[in-house]
Each structure stands twice: as C-alpha cells, then as structure tokens.
Amino acid sequence: MIDRQDLQQARDDLGRKLAALRRSRGLIQEALARQVHTTRSTLGMVERGRQVVDRIFWLQCDTLLDAQGELLAAYDAYRHLQSRFQAQQAEAAQRARWGAVPEAVMAAGEATGERYGEVGDNRRPPDRFHGERPEAGRTTRTGQVSVVNAVAGRGEEADHDARSRLLAELRRHLLAPAAPKQPVEPLTLSEVRQRVAHLHSLYQRGNYAEAVRALPDTFEQANLLTRTCTGTQRALAVGSLAAANLAAAKLTVKLGDPSLAWVAADRAARVAAEQAEDVALVAAAAFSVGTALLAMPDRVGDAEEVVLAALDGVTDTRDSASTGPRVLSAHGALTLLAALIAARQAQPAAVERHLDDANALARRLGADRNDLWTGFGPTNVMIHRISIAARTDQPQLAIHLGEQLDTSSLPAALVPPRPGPPRPRRRLRLLARQRSRSRAAPARSRTHRAADGARARPDAPSDRRPAHP
C-alpha cells in the first residue's frame, strides 16, 4: 500500500535531484527559472518538494541541465506512483461506500462500472446487469443501498442509451441512407444554405438530437442541387453539401465515434476539393479530418500530417491584403488545432509558435466571429491558451489567463443563455444563510467591527454596539 508519506518522500527526492543538478551546473535558482519560463519562487517550491508542476517543465530542465533523461524518468516515476495511490484511494472509497459485500458481487459491480466511459467515449453501455436488478430503494441487511443500484448510475445509463441511438441514426444516414419514400420537392439554393447553417447552429447550441434528425433531408436536398444546378449555382451547392458533411463530422465526434466522423470529414474534403479555389472551405474540411483523427487512438501523427499540410496550403494567404474573414477564420482554426496537437505531443515550442500565429490571425480578423462555424477570434485564441495550459499541467498559468478572459464579445451562437434571477424563495434562503453566518461570526470579529465603527465615528458613545449587518 502507498500512503501520503510515500508520495511526499518521492516529491522530496525529485526536488533534491533537481537542486543537485542545478548546483552542479553552477546555476542559481533565478537563472534556471528564467530559462524554463517560470518564477524563482516556483522553482524553490519544486526543489523543496512542495510542488511538482507539469511534464514540460521537467523536460526543459532535463535538457538545460544535460540530465540525459534522468529528471524526466524521475518525474514519470513520481506520476506513476501518484496514479497508483489515487487508484488505491478510489478503491478504498468504493468499499467504504458499499459496506461489507461479497468479493464476487464487488467484482461484478466493478466489471459493470468499467463498461461506462466518459462523455467522449464510444463504448456501448451494458445491455444487462450482472444478476437481477433490485427495486429502487431496496437495501441489504447492512442497511446499504444495493451495490448494483449504486454502480449502475441510471442517469448515466440513459445518457449512453440516447447517445447510442443517435449514433445508430447517424451511421444509417451516412453509410446506408434510405431512398426517399416519395419524390423530394426540391428547395431553392438559398433555402438549402439556410438549412445547412441551421444544422451547424443546432450543433453549436448543443441540440444534437434535432441536428441528427435534420441531417437526412439536408443531405438529400444538397445532393439534389449538385445534380441540377450549373455554373456558379452548382459551386455553391457543392459548398453546401461539403458544409453538411462537416456538421455530420462534428456530431459524430461529439457523440463518441471518431471513425465515423473521419468518414464524414473525408467526404467533406473530397467534395470541397471540387472547389479548390474556395481556400476557406478546403481548410475547414482539413480541420474536420484532423479533429476526427486526433480523437482516434494512436492517430496523433496522422492528424499532425493532415493539419500541417493544410496549413501549408493556406500560408500564402497570410500576407494577402485581400484575404477575407472566411479564410482567416479557417486558417486560424487550423492553427489552433495544430497547437492542440503539439501540446498532445509535448512540443512546447511548437505550441507557442502556433498560438502566436493564431493570435496574429485573430488580430487581423479584428473581432470574434463565427465564419464557417469556427468561432474563431481573439477570445477563441485565449480560450485555447487556457485549455492547453490546463492540459499540460500548468494550473497557475491557466488561472492567470482565466482571470483575463472576457467572453462578452463572443458571437451569440457560442454563448450559453444566462440563468434568470433567483426565485424569491431562493433569495430568502440566501438571505437566511448570510444572517446565520453573521450571527455565528467569532466574537473577535465583532470586536474588530466595533473598533472599526468607533474609529469611523469618533463622536459615537464608546459603549454603543454596532448594528448587526
């Protein structure tokens, strides 16, 4: 068993190893901190075992101090020890919550729990439980809620079931679309483009079920236009079909099937290739392919290859004064995706380069926009900086940047509705809570408030008690 003392000992050893290597190279803390882009106080905390910080920090220290991988290996060993400790803590908490139950039942419950993934996981929920499902509220002899009932998580099960149904619909629409039962009444190009825009709007608002339902007719109408339109009208129809496939790819990634998303994104890319002069559409399609690949296991290198090749294709537009907001937005979205990929591969220099490039594109764009449904702009760049800092174990940087974040300029489609004012009963509860806290305040605090009041009103009687807030 691993305890907290073992973890602290590992942190102390890691910090001492760093301090010894720093001194052997003749560096003071301030000099090394400056070279790894942190503060002297943070470095001091790390060397004393009070802090561990992120892997990028240790990679930089290992390189600068010529540690031949020794520091990085020690850091990874600490993280492995920490993971084992956390797993033991979680298991202990489960056993404490469930009470004394047979090992066979515990194993069955754990097997059931393992079938549930996170929101982005594409594993199916269990079709049945291990053993008979007990009635709601039924308890064991020890008074504990039934183990199976506790493990199942009915809300989570319903969420997975709904996601599975939506994915099944998407697969049917994308891989084996049914022929319409009656002739399709064609819409105008303007109406189809509005439907495609509505599809993306539904996705951005989080209304995935309605977006999935709207897909088949939108696909059918866009396909029909590509067969009947000519000239400029056909080019716009092809663009609408590509954009519909982009929406399908986003939906399938969100619902947890990146392989199906890759199919939809690849179709969007092939359709967009017909309109090679539409640089923005081609870049948006490449962004969709890269996103799908990044969501798949062990495909980070493929995602990087696709995204960097697409960036090469739009780099020529960077210095063009005539570049429109669609191209700038698609270029910026691709650049931010490249930064995410570099962060996944622990390449801090590439991360900073891509983020700086994205920031320059956002400044050229001039405002937060939603061209090609990218949501790209200065605020989006800042959100990605915060996200990457959090993902690369830089909590202090993430907090610092988060304090500067202002989302008031985001497009309306990207801002969740604000909750309404608290109901009267809720306001009364809050007021009651505040009053109870003030009554429970220590006598010392009341004395300080009385002294403050006396200083503020020198003419007030000395024995007068301050009014209660």
Side-chain angles (χ1 to χ4, degrees):
M1 291 289 291
I2 303 167
D3 58 25
R4 296 187 184 278
Q5 188 173 357
D6 294 329
L7 277 182
Q8 185 58 56
Q9 182 63 47
R11 279 197 298 269
D12 292 342
D13 292 344
L14 189 59
R16 282 193 290 267
K17 191 182 295 289
L18 174 61
L21 279 168
R22 173 182 59 78
R23 294 191 190 100
S24 69
R25 302 298 186 269
L27 291 174
I28 61 173
Q29 286 184 340
E30 188 173 356
L32 179 59
R34 188 166 53 249
Q35 292 184 65
V36 296
H37 310 291
T38 189
T39 62
R40 186 198 61 78
S41 60
T42 298
L43 183 62
M45 294 281 281
V46 171
E47 291 187 348
R48 291 195 300 274
R50 302 287 183 84
Q51 226 175 312
V52 178
V53 297
D54 59 285
R55 194 173 194 273
I56 294 176
F57 168 88
W58 292 96
L59 178 62
Q60 291 174 324
C61 288
D62 194 280
T63 303
L64 287 168
L65 299 175
D66 194 24
Q68 305 294 322
E70 181 182 351
L71 278 178
L72 203 56
Y75 168 79
D76 289 340
Y78 167 77
R79 287 300 189 195
H80 178 66
L81 185 70
Q82 184 185 45
S83 297
R84 288 172 54 201
F85 172 75
Q86 291 170 346
Q88 289 178 2
Q89 292 289 99
E91 182 181 354
Q94 284 180 339
R95 293 181 182 277
R97 183 169 64 249
W98 290 342
V101 296
E103 286 294 325
V105 178
M106 181 70 73
E110 290 171 352
T112 303
E114 286 173 1
R115 296 195 182 190
Y116 290 93
E118 297 180 353
V119 173
D121 195 344
N122 62 350
R123 291 178 292 181
R124 290 182 56 82
D127 296 323
R128 62 181 181 276
F129 290 91
H130 294 266
E132 181 182 352
R133 181 199 294 275
E135 297 174 3
R138 178 178 168 187
T139 57
T140 62
R141 282 191 307 171
T142 59
Q144 300 295 326
V145 177
S146 168
V147 174
V148 177
N149 199 16
V151 172
R154 291 175 179 173
E156 189 176 359
E157 178 191 6
D159 177 65
H160 276 269
D161 285 344
R163 216 158 22 96
S164 297
R165 287 194 297 271
L166 289 177
L167 276 172
E169 272 194 73
L170 272 173
R171 290 190 187 100
R172 191 165 57 251
H173 299 333
L174 291 171
L175 303 179
K181 296 180 180 179
Q182 54 188 6
V184 177
E185 183 179 350
L187 300 177
T188 65
L189 178 60
S190 176
E191 289 173 329
V192 172
R193 297 183 75 185
Q194 287 175 5
R195 286 200 178 193
V196 172
H198 180 59
L199 199 60
H200 282 272
S201 178
L202 289 172
Y203 168 81
Q204 290 185 329
R205 295 203 304 265
N207 196 339
Y208 307 132
E210 190 174 341
V212 170
R213 286 194 294 270
L215 264 176
D217 188 57
T218 305
F219 274 138
E220 183 64 34
Q221 292 288 349
N223 271 307
L224 185 60
L225 282 178
T226 59
R227 295 193 298 267
T228 58
C229 292
T230 59
T232 305
Q233 295 287 303
R234 185 179 185 282
L236 293 174
V238 168
S240 296
L241 180 59
N245 276 285
L246 292 180
K250 290 179 183 179
L251 281 166
T252 44
V253 166
K254 180 61 70 174
L255 294 174
D257 191 344
S259 298
L260 186 61
W262 187 20
V263 172
D266 183 63
R267 286 181 184 174
R270 284 189 283 109
V271 173
E274 290 188 33
Q275 303 299 321
E277 68 277 3
D278 192 342
V279 177
L281 184 61
V282 172
F287 172 87
S288 188
V289 173
T291 301
L293 289 170
L294 187 60
M296 297 168 68
D298 303 321
R299 300 301 297 271
V300 180
D302 294 330
E304 180 184 34
E305 184 178 346
V306 168
V307 170
L308 294 182
L311 280 174
D312 288 340
V314 293
T315 298
D316 294 338
T317 67
R318 185 178 301 178
D319 301 321
S320 172
S322 61
T323 300
R326 290 174 78 253
V327 175
L328 286 172
S329 296
H331 190 176
L334 266 175
T335 307
L336 289 176
L337 182 57
L340 287 173
I341 292 171
R344 182 81 67 88
Q345 296 178 318
Q347 299 173 355
V351 169
E352 285 303 315
R353 184 176 70 254
H354 290 310
L355 287 174
D356 289 344
D357 288 347
N359 193 46
L361 289 164
R363 286 200 303 269
R364 286 185 60 195
L365 192 60
D368 292 315
R369 298 175 62 98
N370 197 24
D371 294 286
L372 283 172
W373 309 282
T374 59
F376 183 72
T379 303
N380 195 285
V381 175
M382 177 62 83
I383 290 171
H384 276 74
R385 283 191 183 276
I386 295 169
S387 174
I388 289 173
R391 291 184 184 196
T392 53
D393 293 334
Q394 301 179 78
Q396 295 302 322
L397 177 59
I399 292 170
H400 173 69
L401 294 174
E403 291 171 349
Q404 304 173 34
L405 181 64
D406 178 11
T407 60
S408 61
S409 61
L410 283 172
L414 303 178
V415 180
R418 292 185 178 181
R423 293 186 293 274
R425 189 173 296 177
R426 174 173 168 77
R427 285 200 296 269
L428 289 173
R429 286 200 301 268
L430 291 173
L431 181 60
R433 192 177 303 142
Q434 290 170 354
R435 286 180 175 174
S436 65
R437 285 175 179 171
S438 63
R439 292 192 189 101
R444 185 170 179 270
S445 298
R446 290 198 296 270
T447 303
H448 283 190
R449 286 200 299 271
D452 290 341
R455 283 195 294 270
R457 305 188 310 279
D459 57 332
S462 60
D463 59 345
R464 182 177 177 180
R465 296 180 66 187
H468 221 296

